[in-house]
Amino acid sequence: MRHPEGSNLTFLDPVDARILLALDSEPRLPVVVLAERLGLARKTVQTRLSRMEERALLRPHSDRVDPRTLGYLMEAAVTAEVEQPRLGAAVAALAEIPEVVAAAAISGEGDLLCRVVARDPDDLYRVTQEILSCPGIRRTRTSLLMRDLLPYRALGLLRRLAGETPSR
């Protein structure tokens, strides 16, 4: 399904959601078994999985890795103020810093919100200095993330799309 405004965004549908929910519980399930369990044709499941992959509708497997298992025991939210004409250069430079695991444009205080990881306080200081050295970044504010209370999740959204009642 295409986004109504005509952008290139493609939406998943209820059948896609059922396939992903089944794979969530058993990621190595062969396509033929998956199709049988869902009551779908093998070709339907294979085509839909291929389409999701080709259109990059799913996050990479590396996004499932907890940075703590790589030795990055600290996380922080870094808000950056950016000279607007240099926003593109700032984002490109941030993308070169491996410890910046996500960045988003925001409204309100600051222009960018970066989620960063670090091994320890000294490493966090190094990372924030690296962020400050990016072209166009004028100032940063750093807040330590103490604990994920509600980590990123899409399970309830998939269940709703598939017609299931999301558990609370």
Side-chain angles (χ1 to χ4, degrees):
M1 178 188 316
R2 289 267 173 217
H3 192 272
E5 284 92 41
S7 75
N8 290 332
L9 182 62
T10 301
F11 290 129
L12 299 175
D13 67 20
V15 174
D16 295 326
R18 289 179 52 221
I19 292 168
L20 293 173
L21 286 167
L23 287 172
D24 207 28
S25 59
E26 292 184 69
R28 294 184 177 185
L29 206 57
V31 172
V32 68
V33 175
L34 180 60
E36 183 179 300
R37 287 189 185 173
L38 295 173
L40 299 169
R42 181 202 54 80
K43 180 127 176 85
T44 299
V45 172
Q46 186 62 58
T47 299
R48 285 172 175 267
L49 288 171
S50 295
R51 185 189 70 215
M52 287 183 238
E53 188 175 307
E54 289 165 7
R55 294 182 182 168
L57 299 181
L58 306 175
R59 294 172 183 243
H61 289 287
S62 59
D63 285 357
R64 297 173 64 183
V65 176
D66 183 338
R68 292 175 296 186
T69 66
L70 302 172
Y72 294 92
L73 303 178
M74 297 184 74
E75 284 190 86
V78 178
T79 305
E81 292 180 21
V82 182
E83 298 168 16
Q84 291 307 301
R86 302 183 76 192
L87 179 63
V91 172
L94 288 170
E96 296 298 317
I97 304 171
E99 293 86 358
V100 176
V101 296
I106 59 172
S107 64
E109 294 289 322
D111 302 302
L112 295 174
L113 178 62
C114 301
R115 188 165 184 142
V116 304
V117 296
R119 295 183 183 283
D120 55 41
D122 289 332
D123 193 38
L124 180 59
Y125 181 80
R126 176 193 61 79
V127 172
T128 57
Q129 292 303 301
E130 207 170 327
I131 291 170
L132 271 170
S133 72
C134 292
I137 294 186
R138 293 188 295 225
R139 182 177 301 113
T140 63
R141 289 178 195 82
T142 302
S143 298
L144 289 180
L145 301 179
M146 304 300 287
R147 175 177 293 161
D148 270 337
L149 299 176
L150 191 58
Y152 177 84
R153 64 210 175 100
L155 180 62
L157 300 173
L158 284 171
R159 285 182 175 158
R160 178 169 285 152
L161 181 60
E164 297 178 16
T165 305
S167 58
R168 294 198 184 243

